[in-house]
Amino acid sequence: MKKMIVLFTSLLILSAFLGVMALTFTFGAPKMTDMDDYFLRFGQEQTGTNNQCTSVTFDFRGFDTLGESTVLFCAVIGVALIFRKMQAGEEYEDE
Amino acid sequence: MSRIVRTAADIIYPFILIFGLYVVAHGHLTPGGGFQGGAVIATGGALVIVAYSYAEVREWLSKNVLMGQEVIGLVGFIGVALIAFAFGQVFFFNYLNASGSLFGIPVPYGINAGELNTGGFVPLMNFSVGCEVWGGLTLVILYMLSGLEKEGC
């Protein structure tokens, strides 16, 4: 019974949220289009890529991809640190 | 795993490798790019790791080589972006675009057939990111597997 109430309430909140979103914003008609128009008009000539997503991620927003690569590198370093080979005097801490 | 799974993995692995490299190489023309292509290749590595035991895989997929691949990818990414200073431009400036040299064919505005030799430094970026993701994701799987091995699971 309690589970049903929780489920019903969360569904209600989710549908209200999505309904407001769907009624407020119309699909395919964004309010600000200056940046999109610039990318679509000049991106092909300025970066030489036919794929505009790649031209944005690797050229116009190159710093984003740099941060993303650094995050992946740090994640791998963290995994390597957790699963590293233990030294002789080093022990797993139990509990 | 059984002999059937191992044979299937042997047959499928080169095709996964080629498809991933294709996605990386055509990142500036078709949907995809360095990250997606690297992830595709890493799934091929995961397939081989699942099909064979860790003791066998450890000899083929060296952790040092994969780590070096990852480091080369990240350093290459930053290095390609840094070369722009040599041309008197800002960081991340696309100095190779429409230069006539490597990847330097200019692209007109509008619908066109697409040429592999375009894109400026974007293909180089794609290759370095693909190299890094390939090494990184395979390394994560290998390290987790070696941790399980140690616990005796």
Side-chain angles (χ1 to χ4, degrees):
Chain A
M1 188 62 202
K2 208 173 175 183
K3 270 185 183 174
M4 289 300 291
I5 292 174
V6 169
L7 187 68
F8 187 73
T9 317
S10 47
L11 269 181
L12 201 68
I13 293 172
L14 188 67
S15 56
F17 183 68
L18 289 178
V20 166
M21 294 285 275
L23 291 177
T24 315
F25 303 104
T26 47
F27 184 76
K31 289 202 171 62
M32 305 284 285
T33 61
D34 299 348
M35 196 62 99
D36 318 349
D37 291 340
Y38 182 84
F39 286 152
L40 290 177
R41 174 62 187 84
F42 296 105
Q44 217 169 356
E45 291 161 2
Q46 286 182 354
T47 68
T49 59
N50 281 343
N51 184 0
Q52 287 302 302
C53 298
T54 304
S55 87
V56 170
T57 52
F58 282 99
D59 198 302
F60 291 117
R61 300 270 188 266
F63 275 104
D64 263 3
T65 312
L66 178 61
E68 176 200 300
S69 308
T70 316
V71 165
L72 179 73
F73 188 78
C74 294
V76 173
I77 293 291
V79 170
L81 204 63
I82 290 172
F83 288 101
R84 71 189 184 279
K85 206 167 276 172
M86 290 291 162
Q87 301 296 322
E90 209 174 2
E91 285 297 323
Y92 286 108
E93 277 190 38
D94 295 328
E95 292 154 355
Chain B
M1 285 281 174
S2 67
R3 185 181 289 267
I4 299 170
V5 176
R6 292 182 181 205
T7 312
D10 284 347
I11 293 170
I12 294 173
Y13 181 64
F15 290 105
I16 294 177
L17 210 66
I18 290 168
F19 179 68
L21 288 173
Y22 159 78
V23 170
V24 172
H26 289 246
H28 56 298
L29 295 176
T30 55
F35 206 93
Q36 292 85 347
V40 167
I41 300 173
T43 56
L47 175 71
V48 170
I49 291 170
V50 166
Y52 290 87
S53 67
Y54 176 70
E56 285 175 280
V57 168
R58 192 171 47 184
E59 291 165 7
W60 307 331
L61 298 173
S62 162
K63 277 178 189 167
N64 289 332
V65 170
L66 289 169
M67 185 59 95
Q69 204 175 331
E70 196 193 3
V71 171
I72 285 171
L74 187 58
V75 170
F77 188 84
I78 299 172
V80 169
L82 273 178
I83 292 173
F85 285 128
F87 290 84
Q89 297 289 350
V90 291
F91 196 52
F92 269 111
F93 180 79
N94 198 341
Y95 47 87
L96 278 178
N97 181 36
S99 64
S101 60
L102 185 69
F103 300 123
I105 295 176
V107 173
Y109 171 67
I111 299 170
N112 55 58
E115 167 73 35
L116 197 61
N117 201 14
T118 60
F121 72 177
V122 174
L124 298 175
M125 293 288 199
N126 269 325
F127 275 118
S128 35
V129 170
C131 196
E132 190 201 341
V133 173
W134 175 0
L137 293 186
T138 316
L139 204 59
V140 166
I141 303 167
L142 266 184
Y143 264 117
M144 289 185 167
L145 201 62
S146 67
L148 282 180
E149 196 81 5
K150 207 171 296 163
E151 293 288 320
C153 295

